[in-house]
């Protein structure tokens, strides 16, 4: 079944979507087509009172321009170049909105010939016609504690929208250093702690995600940079038909909990041609995710690309059909990782990690069914089942341990497949280390370096009610 799925994916990747309809933008989900040149409304935040001086509060101007843009289908909300906009916590709600709104960050047109670009999402088949654009400028978050009240989960939120695009070459800056400050007042394990802002007052212990999409269909993020987020940079929650491309995150490797892209309860997503530098997982895939395709991503610094942690506090987690390929990782703590808490239920299945190049990565390949973040964990018999996990052409250098499969005693990992694995200790940074396996069952398709002799011969297992999804 899984081989058939991979063949289907390969065939879809070879599809050439014709550009004969190059003057139209098609979204399969809502079956709308918008002809190029059709006036659909552009709303510039400067026209609604935004100052763009980096110190005046432009939140109301953004709210007012959004409210007007919402009334017009296929409208564009324009955040122009050459300005820095200070914007407080804000929600762009879609309940009363028309479809296919473009949130364009800092637009500046270059007088050059138009070019055609066809993008084929293997899931939602989106065709986009683009001009050549150069996008500059910034949106910045407030650093005063008074703007955040007792604490918020997100800074900028787009909610309940159909066909929403954020594009540009502009920067969304969360100014997160005031939240990361490792003073005696700061303890990442205690959400009740407060962090001092630049004026000496205390920031709330709950750190916000910079940009969150919730309950939306047909989401496109293209070209923008999110930097210095207080916590996660870009989050998708309960969304379908997602496309992220040419996206950049930029935060220090020691900035706490600053995931690059976080997906939760979301399906049919493609993430590609992106550069992710952060202090946590470059990409984090959580429960409820399926049909996620990630390729041509550069990761580092950070914690690698992770599925999980799943099953925390005895919850059920279901993740399936995940492909990660053509990825480079450098200086990360982990490479490709699956992690789950003891006591959970559900399953992770049909996962492919292919063509992964690692450089000075501490732990390139990990399955950990004993994940415990923060201590206080104890042994439990139930677990999130892990099966049909394929590793193909993973090469490079490690600094700690090349391969670690720590699987559950009661629910061992099954269907692990490895082919063309070549991992060497980084020069002067690691001694040669043997792979570790515990209750890991699978097959070596080729010889591996180092030899993975600890993998047990595959055994057939029937699905229990515990891991059914």
């Amino acid at each position: 079944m899984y081989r058939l799925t991979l063949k289907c994916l390969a065939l879809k990747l070879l599809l050439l979507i014709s550009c004969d309809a190059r003057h139209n933008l098609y979204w399969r989900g809502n079956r709308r087509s918008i002809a190029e040149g059709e006036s659909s409304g552009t709303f510039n935040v400067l026209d609604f009172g935004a100052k763009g001086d980096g110190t005046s509060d432009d939140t109301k101007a953004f709210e007012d321009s959004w409210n007007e843009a919402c009334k017009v289908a296929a409208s564009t909300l324009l955040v122009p170049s050459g300005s820095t906009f200070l914007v407080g916590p804000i929600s762009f709600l879609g309940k009363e909105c028309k479809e296919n709104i473009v949130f364009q960050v800092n637009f500046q047109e270059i007088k050059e010939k138009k070019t055609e670009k066809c993008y084929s999402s293997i899931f939602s088949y989106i065709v986009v016609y683009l001009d050549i654009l150069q996008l500059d400028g910034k949106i910045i978050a407030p650093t005063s504690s008074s703007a955040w009240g007792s604490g918020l989960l997100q800074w900028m939120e787009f909610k309940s929208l159909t066909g929403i695009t954020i594009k540009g070459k502009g920067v969304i800056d969360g100014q997160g250093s005031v939240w990361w400050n490792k003073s005696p007042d700061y303890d990442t394990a205690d959400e009740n702690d407060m962090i001092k802002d630049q004026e000496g007052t205390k920031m709330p212990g709950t750190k916000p995600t910079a940009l969150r999409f919730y309950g939306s269909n047909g989401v496109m993020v293209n070209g923008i940079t999110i930097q210095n987020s207080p916590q996660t940079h870009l989050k998708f929650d309960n969304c379908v038909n997602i496309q992220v491309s040419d996206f950049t995150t930029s935060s220090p490797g020691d900035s706490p909990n600053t995931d690059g892209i976080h997906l939760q309860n979301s399906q049919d997503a493609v993430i590609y041609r992106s550069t992710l530098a952060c202090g946590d997982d470059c990409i984090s895939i959580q429960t409820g995710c399926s049909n996620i395709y990630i390729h041509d991503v550069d990761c580092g610094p950070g914690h690698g690309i992770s599925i999980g942690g799943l099953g925390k506090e005895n919850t059920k987690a279901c993740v399936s059909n995940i492909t990660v390929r053509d990825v480079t990782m450098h200086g990360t703590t982990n490479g490709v990782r699956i992690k789950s808490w003891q006591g959970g239920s559900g399953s992770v299945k049909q996962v492919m990690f292919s063509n992964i190049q690692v450089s000075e990565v501490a732990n390139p390949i990990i399955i950990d069914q004993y994940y415990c973040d923060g201590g206080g964990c104890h042994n439990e018999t139930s677990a999130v089942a892990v099966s049909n996990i394929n590793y193909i052409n993973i090469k490079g250098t490690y600094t700690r341990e090349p391969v670690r499969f720590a699987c559950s005693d009661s629910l061992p990992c099954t269907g692990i497949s490895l082919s063309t694995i070549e991992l060497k200790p980084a020069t002067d940074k690691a001694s040669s280390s043997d792979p570790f396996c515990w209750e890991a069952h699978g097959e070596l398709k080729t010889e591996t370096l180092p030899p993975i002799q600890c993998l047990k011969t595959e055994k057939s297992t029937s699905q229990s009610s515990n891991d059914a999804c």
Side-chain angles (χ1 to χ4, degrees):
M1 178 65 72
Y2 186 54
R3 291 179 178 176
L4 179 60
T5 302
L6 293 179
K7 288 180 180 179
C8 291
L9 288 174
L11 288 172
K12 288 179 181 179
L13 288 173
L14 292 175
L15 288 175
L16 295 177
I17 296 181
S18 171
C19 286
D20 290 341
R22 59 186 178 274
H23 296 293
N24 297 318
L25 166 65
Y26 295 100
W27 287 87
R28 186 183 65 171
N30 51 39
R31 300 181 181 178
R32 292 185 58 87
S33 63
I34 304 160
E36 184 196 13
E38 179 182 340
S39 177
S40 54
T42 298
F43 299 85
N44 190 325
V45 295
L46 292 176
D47 295 333
F48 290 82
K51 302 298 183 184
D53 57 13
T55 57
S56 301
D57 186 350
D58 290 325
T59 308
K60 188 176 186 304
F62 275 67
E63 290 172 341
D64 292 345
S65 56
W66 175 259
N67 290 336
E68 291 302 312
C70 265
K71 300 174 184 177
V72 181
S75 60
T76 297
L77 193 155
L78 184 60
V79 183
S81 62
S83 299
T84 298
F85 299 91
L86 175 63
V87 177
I90 187 169
S91 292
F92 301 96
L93 303 180
K95 186 176 180 180
E96 305 297 330
C97 280
K98 301 295 184 179
E99 297 178 350
N100 296 317
I101 294 175
V102 176
F103 191 101
Q104 189 154 314
V105 184
N106 308 304
F107 169 91
Q108 180 179 336
E109 183 176 3
I110 297 177
K111 301 298 184 179
E112 294 184 21
K113 183 179 179 180
K114 295 176 181 178
T115 60
E116 298 171 28
K117 297 183 181 180
C118 288
Y119 297 103
S120 172
S121 165
I122 62 174
F123 302 114
S124 48
Y125 301 100
I126 301 167
V127 180
V128 186
Y129 183 76
L130 296 176
D131 289 345
I132 294 178
L133 305 173
Q134 176 65 45
L135 308 176
D136 303 301
K138 273 188 178 181
I139 299 173
I140 61 174
T143 57
S144 170
S145 60
S146 61
W148 301 100
S150 60
L152 297 171
L153 295 176
Q154 56 270 328
W155 168 29
M156 302 174 68
E157 179 183 42
F158 290 81
K159 185 176 181 180
S160 304
L161 288 153
T162 299
I164 175 67
T165 298
I166 295 185
K167 66 178 182 177
K169 296 294 183 184
V171 175
I172 296 174
D173 190 340
Q175 303 202 98
S177 61
V178 297
W179 302 83
W180 310 330
N181 179 25
K182 295 181 178 179
S183 69
D185 297 295
Y186 176 72
D187 181 358
T188 56
D190 187 352
E191 291 189 354
N192 294 319
D193 277 356
M194 306 287 278
I195 304 140
K196 290 184 178 180
D197 67 10
Q198 292 174 347
E199 297 176 353
T201 57
K202 293 184 176 181
M203 303 296 283
T206 300
K207 301 187 293 293
T209 289
L211 178 59
R212 179 191 187 222
F213 293 89
Y214 178 82
S216 296
N217 183 355
V219 181
M220 181 183 291
V221 176
N222 173 259
I224 67 169
T225 294
I226 302 178
Q227 66 186 30
N228 301 323
S229 178
Q231 196 165 355
T232 300
H233 290 75
L234 176 61
K235 179 181 287 189
F236 298 95
D237 196 349
N238 282 280
C239 293
V240 294
N241 296 323
I242 300 162
Q243 181 172 341
V244 179
S245 61
D246 301 295
F247 172 68
T248 300
T249 64
S250 179
S251 290
D254 61 353
S255 55
N257 306 120
T258 55
D259 292 46
I261 301 174
H262 179 101
L263 299 117
Q264 180 172 319
N265 295 315
S266 295
Q267 301 83 43
D268 302 338
V270 58
I271 299 169
Y272 63 100
R273 276 204 322 259
S274 295
T275 301
L276 308 175
C278 58
D280 210 301
D281 295 327
C282 291
I283 300 176
S284 171
I285 300 168
Q286 299 295 327
T287 186
C289 289
S290 61
N291 299 337
I292 310 297
Y293 181 46
I294 298 163
H295 67 94
D296 294 288
V297 168
D298 182 88
C299 168
H303 294 182
I305 294 178
S306 295
I307 298 174
L310 304 173
K312 186 176 183 180
E313 297 178 348
N314 305 108
T315 56
K316 184 173 184 176
C318 297
V319 176
S320 63
N321 198 17
I322 311 297
T323 298
V324 178
R325 62 178 302 153
D326 303 316
V327 168
T328 59
M329 299 186 184
H330 43 91
T332 56
T333 57
N334 305 293
V336 289
R337 176 171 58 159
I338 298 172
K339 54 181 178 175
S340 64
W341 298 74
Q342 292 188 74
S345 61
S347 66
V348 178
K349 60 186 179 180
Q350 295 181 334
V351 178
M352 173 186 279
F353 299 113
S354 174
N355 298 335
I356 312 294
Q357 184 69 40
V358 297
S359 176
E360 297 187 1
V361 169
N363 308 287
I365 297 175
I366 300 179
I367 296 176
D368 183 6
Q369 287 184 291
Y370 298 90
Y371 180 72
C372 180
D373 183 19
C377 302
H378 56 275
N379 290 331
E380 299 194 41
T381 55
S382 62
V384 177
V386 177
S387 63
N388 296 330
I389 313 298
N390 296 268
Y391 301 91
I392 302 171
N393 195 33
I394 300 179
K395 300 179 179 180
T397 59
Y398 67 91
T399 62
R400 188 179 303 160
E401 188 176 43
V403 177
R404 183 174 185 83
F405 295 137
C407 300
S408 169
D409 289 307
S410 58
L411 199 60
C413 303
T414 61
I416 297 173
S417 171
L418 299 107
S419 175
T420 319
I421 308 300
E422 297 180 11
L423 298 170
K424 302 176 182 180
T427 304
D428 300 327
K429 288 185 178 291
S431 59
S432 180
S433 177
D434 292 331
F436 172 85
C437 305
W438 182 262
E439 292 299 339
H441 299 258
E443 179 183 6
L444 300 179
K445 299 287 189 180
T446 67
E447 292 184 358
T448 64
L449 181 68
I452 306 175
Q453 299 172 341
C454 57
L455 189 68
K456 294 184 178 181
T457 303
E458 184 65 275
K459 68 175 183 179
S460 59
T461 57
S462 58
Q463 188 183 53
S464 68
S465 59
N466 183 67
D467 63 296
C469 282

